[in-house]
C-alpha cells in the first residue's frame, strides 16, 4: 500500500501552487495524499508569513503534530513556505523534533530531502535564497490526472524587487527571477492540449516580467508580449494573471486588453491606500491620481472589465483623514472586489524596523469594519448591474449547496446556475437573473 502524505497550505496562490507542486513531486515518488495526518508518513506545513496571525499558525501546527512524531519516530515532519524561509534555524531550535525546514526556492528538492531524513535522520534545512536566474529552477510539473485540470496556475516569475515598506515578501521570496518565455508558452500549450481552458499566470509583480534589469535576460519578452504569444501560439481559452504593481502597469499592457480577447475581463490592481502621504510611507511609487488614471484607462480599453484591489488600514501614522482618502477612493473607483486587512507589523521590513505601529488595534479594526461595510454596499450594487446580462462561465462543478452548478465568469464572479455534469470544465453562457452580495445566479442558455 502506498505511503501517505499530509500537506496543509496557507496563504496566497503562489503558495498554493508550491503546495500542489510538492504533492506532485511526492506522488511521483509513490506517495498518496491523505486528509488525515494520523495516516501520513510525511507531514508538511506549507506556511505564509504575510501577517503576524498567519505566521503564528506554524507554531500551533508543529506543536499539534509532536504527539504523532513521538508515536511514530519514522514520521517525516517538515515546514515549508515563507515562514520556513523567515525563521529557518530558529524553527529547528524551537522544535527539535522537526525534521525538515524548506524555503520556497528549494521546493524541487523535497523528494531528495525526505529520503535524506529517512536515511540519515537528524534535522535538515534548505533555505538559502536563490536569486540568480542561472541558479533558480522553475518547476514545470503538470497537474496529475486526478487534479481538475480545466484551470491551472502557471508561474512566470518568482520574488520581488519592490521592497514596499510593510511587506515581508522580498525577504522570504528573494529577488525577482523571470522564467523563460518559451518554457511558459510550452507549458500553457501542453495544458490546453490536455483540456485546460484557463490559466492564471503567477508572480509577485507580473508587470515587471521581462523589463528593467530582466530585459537583459536571454530571450527576454515584455509581459504584454508574453500574453500575446500565449494567445496566438496556444489553444488556451482564457488568461488571467496576478499580482500587478500599479507603478509597472504599462500603456502597452492596458492596450493589450483592447486587442487580446483571451485576456479575462478582470484585473487585480492592489492600491493599498487612497492617501498620497500613506502611499509615500509605504514606498509604493505612485500617487492616488496616477493610480486612478490607470484604472480609468483600463476601463476605457476594456469596458466590461471588473477591477479588484488590496487595501491596508491602520498603517503607521494613518490619520482619520488619510483613512477617509481610502474610503473616498472606493466611492470614486467603485471596485468589484476588495481584499482589506489591518496593518500587521512584519520583521525585517522598513516599517517594522523604523516606523512606529502607532494606530491602536481597536481603531484599526473599527476602520476596517467601516471600509468593508462601504465596499459590501458598492460590491452588491455592482453585482446588481449584471442582472439581465449574459456571462461566459467556466464551470467548476456542483455548488456547495449541491442543487446547482457553479463557475467563474470572465469578470471572476462566482455564478450559480442549473446545469449538469456535462457542463463541468466547459465555458457556458449564463444569463444573470439575480445578484447576491458575493455571487450571481442565472440560467444557462445557448
Ligand atoms: S510589490 Fe510590494 S507588496 Fe507586492 S510583493 Fe512586492 S514588496 Fe510586497
Amino acid at each position: 500500500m502506498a505511503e501517505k502524505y499530509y500537506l496543509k497550505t496557507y496563504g496566497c496562490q503562489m503558495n498554493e501552487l508550491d503546495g500542489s507542486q510538492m504533492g506532485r513531486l511526492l506522488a511521483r515518488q509513490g506517495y498518496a495524499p491523505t486528509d488525515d495526518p494520523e495516516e501520513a508518513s510525511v507531514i508538511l506545513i506549507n506556511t505564509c508569513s504575510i501577517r503576524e496571525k498567519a505566521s503564528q499558525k506554524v507554531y500551533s501546527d508543529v506543536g499539534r503534530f509532536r504527539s504523532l512524531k513521538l508515536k511514530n519516530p519514522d514520521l517525516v515532519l517538515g515546514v515549508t513556505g515563507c515562514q520556513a524561509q523567515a525563521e529557518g534555524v530558529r524553527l529547528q531550535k524551537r522544535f527539535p523534533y522537526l525534521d525538515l525546514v524548506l524555503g520556497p526556492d528549494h521546493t524541487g528538492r523535497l523528494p531528495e530531502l525526505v529520503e535524506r531524513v529517512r536515511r540519515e535522520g537528524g534535522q535538515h534545512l534548505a533555505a538559502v535564497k536563490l536569486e540568480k536566474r542561472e541558479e533558480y529552477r522553475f518547476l514545470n510539473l503538470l497537474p496529475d490526472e486526478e487534479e481538475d485540470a480545466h484551470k491551472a496556475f502557471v508561474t512566470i516569475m518568482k520574488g520581488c524587487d519592490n521592497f514596499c515598506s510593510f511587506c515581508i515578501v522580498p525577504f522570504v521570496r528573494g529577488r525577482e527571477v523571470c522564467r523563460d518565455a518559451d518554457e511558459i508558452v510550452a507549458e500553457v500549450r501542453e495544458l490546453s492540449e490536455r483540456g485546460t481552458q484557463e490559466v492564471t499566470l503567477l508572480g509577485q509583480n507580473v508587470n515587471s516580467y521581462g523589463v528593467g534589469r530582466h530585459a537583459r535576460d536571454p530571450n527576454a519578452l515584455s509581459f504584454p508580449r508574453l500574453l500575446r504569444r500565449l494567445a496566438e501560439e496556444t489553444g488556451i481559452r482564457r488568461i488571467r494573471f496576478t499580482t500587478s504593481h500599479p507603478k509597472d502597469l504599462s500603456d502597452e499592457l492596458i492596450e493589450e486588453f483592447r486587442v487580446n480577447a483571451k485576456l479575462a475581463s478582470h484585473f487585480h490592481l492592489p492600491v493599498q491606500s487612497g492617501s498620497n502621504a500613506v502611499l509615500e510611507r509605504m514606498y509604493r511609487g505612485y500617487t492616488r491620481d496616477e493610480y486612478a488614471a490607470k484604472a480609468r484607462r483600463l476601463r476605457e480599453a476594456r469596458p466590461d472589465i471588473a477591477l479588484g484591489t488590496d487595501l491596508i488600514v491602520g498603517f503607521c501614522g494613518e490619520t482619520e483623514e488619510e483613512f477617509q482618502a481610502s474610503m473616498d477612493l472606493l466611492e470614486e473607483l467603485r471596485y468589484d472586489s476588495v481584499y482589506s486587512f489591518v496593518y500587521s507589523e512584519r520583521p525585517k521590513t522598513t516599517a517594522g524596523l523604523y516606523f512606529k505601529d502607532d494606530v491602536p488595534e481597536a481603531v484599526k479594526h473599527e476602520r476596517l469594519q467601516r471600509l468593508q461595510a462601504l465596499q459590501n454596499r458598492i460590491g452588491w450594487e455592482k453585482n446588481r448591474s449584471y442582472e439581465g446580462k449574459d456571462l461566459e462561465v467556466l464551470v467548476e462543478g456542483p455548488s456547495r449547496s449541491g442543487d446547482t452548478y457553479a463557475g467563474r465568469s470572465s469578470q471572476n464572479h462566482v455564478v450559480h446556475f442549473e446545469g449538469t455534469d456535462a457542463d463541468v470544465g466547459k465555458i457556458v453562457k449564463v444569463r444573470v437573473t439575480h445578484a447576491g452580495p458575493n455571487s450571481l445566479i442565472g440560467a444557462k442558455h445557448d
Side-chain angles (χ1 to χ4, degrees), residues 160 162-164 166-167 169-170 204 245 284:
C160 186
N162 284 313
F163 290 93
C164 301
F166 56 84
C167 184
V169 171
Q204 306 295 352
H245 193 299
R284 288 294 284 173

